């Protein structure tokens, strides 16, 4: 049992060292004026805030220009050429034919 305890203590010291390195790197980055994304953390489902209830139906809908979110516009998907559409169509047709054939067995 002491082997496991020693391994746990060693891992905890490694975690502490790594956290100290991360903090030091973040501090240096802030001093240099960098804008790196914040460290990712796992979100808990239970603690996530709930969305507010939908507005009543009697309220007038806002204009499309007013409803646009501030900040960056959403990226749009690149349009496919007719050749690309045909290739996708053939590939999906073959895929679904194989699924039907497999389901019939």
């Amino acid at each position: 049992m002491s082997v496991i305890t020693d391994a746990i203590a060693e891992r905890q010291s490694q975690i502490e060292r790594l956290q100290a390195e991360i903090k030091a790197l973040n501090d240096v980055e802030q001093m240099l004026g960098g804008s790196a994304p914040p460290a990712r953390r796992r979100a808990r489902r239970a603690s996530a805030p709930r969305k507010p209830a939908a507005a009543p139906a009697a309220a007038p809908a806002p204009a499309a220009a007013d409803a646009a979110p501030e900040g960056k516009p959403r990226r749009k998907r690149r349009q496919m050429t007719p050749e690309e559409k045909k290739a996708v169509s053939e590939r999906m047709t073959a895929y679904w034919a194989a699924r039907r054939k497999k389901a019939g067995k």
Side-chain angles (χ1 to χ4, degrees):
M1 198 67 169
S2 66
V3 174
I4 294 174
T5 307
D6 292 340
I8 291 172
E10 183 179 338
R11 294 293 185 222
Q12 286 176 339
S13 67
Q14 287 177 347
I15 290 170
E16 290 169 0
R17 274 188 270 131
L18 290 172
Q19 287 174 341
E21 288 180 24
I22 290 170
K23 183 182 181 314
L25 289 171
N26 285 334
D27 291 345
V28 169
E29 184 177 27
Q30 286 179 351
M31 288 178 5
L32 294 176
S35 60
R40 295 182 189 181
R41 296 185 183 260
R42 287 187 179 176
R44 293 184 184 177
R45 292 182 132 206
S47 65
R50 296 192 180 266
K51 292 182 180 178
D66 295 337
E70 296 294 322
K72 294 193 292 186
R74 289 191 71 167
R75 291 182 60 182
K76 294 185 179 179
R77 182 180 288 186
R78 182 180 65 86
Q79 295 294 318
M80 287 196 288
T81 64
E83 294 82 19
E84 291 172 326
K85 288 180 183 180
K86 183 172 179 161
V88 170
S89 175
E90 290 172 356
R91 187 174 68 238
M92 293 307 294
T93 301
Y95 169 79
W96 286 108
R99 293 253 331 219
R100 283 192 302 274
K101 184 177 180 181
K102 185 177 177 183
K105 288 186 177 181

